[in-house]
Amino acid sequence: MKVSQGAPGAKILAFGHYQPSKVVTNDDLSKTMETSDEWIRSRVGIQERRIAETESEIDLAVQAGGKALAASGLPASDVDLVIVATCTMETQIPNAAGRVATRLGIDAPGALDVNTACSGFCYALAVANDAIRAGSATNVLVIGTERFSPWIDWTDRSTAVIFADGAGAAVVGPSDTPGIGPVVWGSAGDKAEAIMVKDRHSFLQQEGQTVFRWATTALHPVARQACERAGVDPAELAAFVPHQANVRIIEAIARRIGADNAVVAKDIVLAGNTSAASIPMALSRMIERGEVPSGGLALLLGFGAGLTYAGQVVEIP
């Protein structure tokens, strides 16, 4: 039996992101539930979020994926694998990836969805990296896309003030040197019920304090291990881009990893928690604003429902 030979490494060629147009501010939410701008900012750090009124997860993914493809300079015909990370699809069959690929003009690629919720992009990126190095794919389009608005009880301030809609994408291609470090991933299934949708007729439920304690105590060692496996000192990082769950969680982890020179992503302030979309969307916007250098190193850290986590160091395109 022969074994296929892939590229020595893989790297991210470009990012893209997309947010729906409807803005929902904290003041808007205060009109429909017992909350306030000050209450929301002090607990999660969010000022506003975007909601898709008519667009689906597929629509959001196509927009972000198309922008990433355009920025990469690759024609759609060069992509042979599409991976979509999402946990908010209205239906599970057919999957998102195949439909997104067709909409983008990508002909007959491998197409799969990944559902590890908020860590989904990091899981999908690891799969893309391994596929390219193993020779299973040449160029991969990785997309995180979420439409939480239909899964939220808009009278429940424990979830309605947090979650939002959006998509972020990256094109990953072969490289002579590693541009994506080894992934550190895992799960805490004993806490799986801390974030869940019980059935197709239920809304998202979250035990906020359980998630907060877990995230602020268990995840900084994962971040440091991702740096160690990549052979990178945290002081060398140009950016730290964790899942955009809560500003207090982001700041707590950032303090404990020693990345003193890194720009810390806080896209949640204006985007809310977009689960699998949050990391690629945050880094895409940081690149667009010129906040991080091309060729610099960024530590990505996804975590959330499952409970699952994954992190890796990447070279910024």
Side-chain angles (χ1 to χ4, degrees), residues 34-91:
E34 186 180 345
T35 190
S36 67
D37 178 63
E38 189 279 331
W39 189 91
I40 297 171
R41 289 197 195 205
S42 66
R43 283 160 177 78
V44 292
I46 299 171
Q47 296 179 23
E48 63 182 44
R49 71 285 295 144
R50 300 290 186 96
I51 299 300
E53 296 182 282
T54 59
E55 296 161 300
S56 68
E57 297 88 349
I58 305 297
D59 295 328
L60 303 177
V62 168
Q63 290 286 345
K67 290 180 179 179
L69 264 178
S72 76
L74 292 180
S77 58
D78 282 0
V79 175
D80 49 10
L81 176 61
V82 176
I83 308 175
V84 173
T86 184
C87 65
T88 56
M89 291 288 291
E90 288 287 344
T91 59

Side-chain angles (χ1 to χ4, degrees), residues 80-168:
D80 49 10
L81 176 61
V82 176
I83 308 175
V84 173
T86 184
C87 65
T88 56
M89 291 288 291
E90 288 287 344
T91 59
Q92 296 302 305
I93 303 172
N95 72 5
R99 286 181 281 172
V100 170
T102 295
R103 292 266 301 270
L104 290 172
I106 301 171
D107 185 39
L112 66 112
D113 288 5
V114 170
N115 180 358
T116 60
C118 305
S119 64
F121 179 79
C122 290
Y123 268 78
L125 184 62
V127 172
N129 179 43
D130 290 350
I132 290 171
R133 294 190 301 111
S136 302
T138 303
N139 294 296
V140 185
L141 176 60
V142 181
I143 305 173
T145 183
E146 304 286 14
R147 186 173 181 238
F148 267 104
S149 47
W151 297 97
I152 297 299
D153 177 355
W154 288 96
T155 65
D156 175 13
R157 72 176 183 178
S158 69
T159 55
V161 304
I162 298 171
F163 294 95
D165 305 337

